[in-house]
Amino acid sequence: PLAIFLDLDILCQEPLLLLQSGFSDLIGKVTANSDWVLRHFLQEEYICDYSWELVREALQILWESADQIPQRNPEAIKALTIALLNSGFSMALVGDSRPASGAEHLVAHYLEMVRLSQGGKTSLHGLRVGAATLLIQKMYRRFLQEMNDIDWDKIATSSPPPIDKEILEKQFGPLYPFVEKEATSKIAAPLFISNDRKQPHFFSTLSQAISEKLDAIPDVEQSLKRSKTPSTFEELGFDRSLVKNAFLYSRFVRKRITLLDFLDEAGLLEKYVEEFL
């Protein structure tokens, strides 16, 4: 775009669900950037600190003023708008959606894809992202607690399992041809490229880097409640079975590695999903 024009008076009159959807989508940046950090450490993927700085300050402002969103406070709506714009700018800067999209978006996309393919109705995208972020932030907190107990060497040296086409075809149904290429690519690729995990301060450095992202919104659940935003998939009309499948299989929608992939390799994914659902 050459220019973006925004009228704050009009933005403050948006339907509340749209404001809440933008708010909860933005909260998803904490887990999206945590996933980016994870890939940086495991796969030596390039990471852009500046793109995070574009969003971090506004996230902290929104954490402090979440209860002002339903009040349509102009300063809170302005902060939300600038943060969403900066999130878009960060994607343009990097050249793809890495700064803004991680496991939380894959879950949201999976639910929408499956529901629409069945002829059903779905919710606003951002609301699904917020509900997914709540659970994935909890998974990340647990992962950081249990990180030292995981057999990283075993994961690093194990051969990628062959893709089970029948399971994926069953889960994705008529959508499978659209994800087959990404899924196959992900299964064939190694989870680890870097050997930095053998360095003395690897775990503490990784934990600190991820915590910095997560702590921009210290408690996603409280943020959603304070902004009166739906915080559970049940509120959004999704049954537990479908949501569980989303957390188990949405990772095949993109070849990009997220926490969900690592937990699966560590044999922890289903345990975490059952616990936090």
Side-chain angles (χ1 to χ4, degrees):
L2 296 177
I4 299 172
F5 297 91
L6 300 162
D7 186 316
L8 191 56
D9 290 337
I10 293 175
L11 293 178
C12 288
Q13 295 174 45
E14 275 192 86
L16 181 57
L17 270 180
L18 288 180
L19 291 172
Q20 292 167 329
S21 182
F23 177 75
S24 54
D25 183 272
L26 189 65
I27 284 176
K29 310 315 167 198
V30 298
T31 49
N33 280 271
S34 296
D35 281 335
W36 198 1
V37 167
L38 190 63
R39 289 192 302 276
H40 176 65
F41 277 80
L42 299 187
Q43 301 195 314
E44 300 180 348
E45 183 174 289
Y46 161 78
I47 193 166
C48 175
D49 293 327
Y50 179 66
S51 70
W52 169 247
E53 291 303 316
L54 283 174
V55 180
R56 179 184 59 82
E57 185 176 351
L59 279 171
Q60 292 175 333
I61 293 172
L62 290 171
W63 160 248
E64 296 168 1
S65 59
D67 56 336
Q68 297 300 306
I69 296 294
Q71 305 299 325
R72 304 175 187 276
N73 178 284
E75 288 303 312
I77 304 304
K78 181 179 179 180
L80 172 60
T81 304
I82 291 174
L84 288 168
L85 284 173
N86 282 346
S87 178
F89 296 151
S90 70
M91 288 188 280
L93 182 69
V94 172
D96 66 27
S97 62
R98 280 178 291 177
S101 176
E104 74 296 322
H105 272 71
L106 297 182
V107 170
H109 292 324
Y110 178 96
L111 290 170
E112 182 174 31
M113 290 163 62
V114 172
R115 180 61 62 82
L116 291 178
S117 73
Q118 295 169 346
K121 294 183 178 180
T122 185
S123 57
L124 291 172
H125 165 77
L127 300 181
R128 295 192 306 279
V129 169
T133 302
L134 188 160
L135 296 175
I136 292 170
Q137 188 188 51
K138 291 181 178 181
M139 290 182 181
Y140 256 117
R141 300 285 192 199
R142 175 61 58 83
F143 163 68
L144 294 180
Q145 291 175 355
E146 300 181 348
M147 189 166 55
N148 290 324
D149 299 326
I150 295 172
D151 190 341
W152 290 64
D153 288 336
K154 181 179 179 181
I155 298 171
T157 56
S158 61
S159 300
I163 187 169
D164 193 327
K165 185 176 179 180
E166 290 185 3
I167 291 178
L168 292 183
E169 283 183 330
K170 179 180 178 182
Q171 294 303 326
F172 284 94
L175 297 169
Y176 178 69
F178 298 101
V179 303
E180 183 176 11
K181 183 178 178 181
E182 295 279 320
T184 304
S185 175
K186 170 170 279 188
I187 290 293
L191 185 65
F192 285 88
I193 293 177
S194 171
N195 284 318
D196 287 350
R197 68 186 182 283
K198 298 183 183 297
Q199 299 300 317
H201 304 293
F202 173 80
F203 293 109
S204 59
T205 306
L206 173 61
S207 179
Q208 183 178 356
I210 290 176
S211 295
E212 186 228 341
K213 309 306 184 203
L214 296 177
D215 290 345
I217 300 287
D219 190 325
V220 168
E221 188 168 15
Q222 283 302 313
S223 290
L224 294 174
K225 287 182 177 179
R226 285 169 55 212
S227 63
K228 298 182 179 179
T229 302
S231 60
T232 68
F233 287 109
E234 184 179 12
E235 292 175 84
L236 299 177
F238 296 98
D239 62 71
R240 189 181 188 281
S241 176
L242 179 56
V243 174
K244 180 180 177 180
N245 282 342
F247 277 88
L248 294 179
Y249 298 106
S250 64
R251 58 198 181 90
F252 294 107
V253 172
R254 295 281 183 272
K255 63 182 178 182
R256 185 183 297 160
I257 295 294
T258 72
L259 177 66
L260 299 180
D261 296 292
F262 182 86
L263 292 177
D264 183 66
E265 291 282 343
L268 295 171
L269 181 57
E270 190 153 3
K271 173 190 170 184
Y272 276 38
V273 172
E274 285 287 353
E275 179 175 346
F276 292 117
L277 276 184

